[in-house]
Amino acid sequence: MLHRKAAKKFGLVLILGFLVGTVAMAAPALAGCVVVDTGTGTGVVVSCRDGQGLTVKIGDDLVKLVGLGPVWFWEAVGYERPDVGDEVTVWWNVVQCNEVKQNVLTALDYNVEDAIPALELRDENNLPLWNLAKRQITHQQRLAYQHRTGRTK
């Protein structure tokens, strides 16, 4: 069982390495939004809901994080989404858009003491990696269609 988890995480590292290597093609960050700070901490998940992010109790603080990303991305990289009660280490960017500040989740790990890196969710420009993955999947589907039919869509 441990080997299977390690193999999945290793596969994840390979996939993410490929994705991060092609980030140069990503569009620039949304105008008006700026990363003003970063944060990290280890704590227990107290809530996790699709579309509402997750809240982690780190020490005495409740840290609300947005930007978990779509379920399909987590499934594609073989990483389980956090559940209430899970101990996690999280990294985030504090992003300010106009007058609103939010903690945007950039990475998550269940066990920082193992040699397998955390699940990266955003690139160095704070752009979601699932957007890049979706573009690559669409490109692959387009190539497969062209190969099958000999024509473009």
Side-chain angles (χ1 to χ4, degrees), residues 4 13 17 23 28 38-39 45 56 67 90 112 114 127 138 142 145:
R4 185 178 298 164
V13 170
V23 165
T38 61
V45 176
V56 179
V90 288
V112 294
D114 63 17
L127 295 171
T138 301
R142 192 173 298 122
Y145 175 82

Side-chain angles (χ1 to χ4, degrees), residues 7 10 17 28 35 41 54 73 94-95 99 106 133 135 144 147:
F10 181 72
V35 174
L54 90 143
F73 178 76
V94 180
V95 177
E99 300 300 317
T106 60
R135 284 195 300 273
H147 179 72

Side-chain angles (χ1 to χ4, degrees), residues 1-11 78 80 109-111 113-116:
M1 181 71 168
L2 181 59
H3 295 293
R4 185 178 298 164
K5 285 184 181 179
K8 281 185 178 181
K9 279 191 170 183
F10 181 72
E80 291 185 29
D109 199 357
Y110 291 103
N111 181 1
E113 294 179 6
D114 63 17
I116 301 165

